[in-house]
């Protein structure tokens, strides 16, 4: 066997090993990465929705708080009239 034939055989073997490695390791790894990316994207969307809902609740809570303060003020005024 000459050097060229040996190099060709080594290249062919390396190609087969590379293809097997790609199929057995890289392909499942790539699928896992894609699945993780999808999960992360879904979690980001849920976090954004939760953040928006929390902000809406904070606004609503501020409105309710102001309404309660106003009601307490009116009650205090009415109690003052009743006792005064």
């Amino acid at each position: 066997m000459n050097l060229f034939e040996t190099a060709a055989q080594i290249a062919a073997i390396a190609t087969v090993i590379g293809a097997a490695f790609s199929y057995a390791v890289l392909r499942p790894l790539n699928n896992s990465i894609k699945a993780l990316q999808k999960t992360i994207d879904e979690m980001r969307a849920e976090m954004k929705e939760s953040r928006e809902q929390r902000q809406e609740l904070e606004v609503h809570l501020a409105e309710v708080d102001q309404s309660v303060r106003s009601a307490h003020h009116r009650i205090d005024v009415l109690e003052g009239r009743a006792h005064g």
Side-chain angles (χ1 to χ4, degrees), residues 72-84:
H72 277 288
H73 178 72
R74 289 191 304 269
I75 290 169
D76 290 343
V77 168
L78 290 173
E79 286 179 345
R81 288 182 187 168
H83 296 293

Side-chain angles (χ1 to χ4, degrees), residues 2 4 8 10 14 28 33-34 36 48 50 52 55-56 59-60 64 66-68 71 75 80-81 83:
N2 66 24
F4 181 73
I10 291 172
I33 290 171
K34 287 179 182 178
L36 284 171
K48 181 180 179 186
S50 293
E52 291 170 354
Q55 289 173 345
E56 290 172 5
V59 168
H60 183 69
V64 169
Q66 183 59 38
S67 178
V68 168
I75 290 169
R81 288 182 187 168
H83 296 293

Side-chain angles (χ1 to χ4, degrees), residues 7 21 28 53 56-57 62 72:
F21 180 78
Q53 288 175 348
E56 290 172 5
L57 286 173
H72 277 288

Side-chain angles (χ1 to χ4, degrees), residues 35-52:
L36 284 171
Q37 184 62 46
K38 181 181 175 189
T39 302
I40 289 170
D41 291 343
E42 289 171 356
M43 290 178 71
R44 283 183 178 154
E46 288 177 14
M47 288 174 62
K48 181 180 179 186
E49 184 179 332
S50 293
R51 190 175 328 126
E52 291 170 354

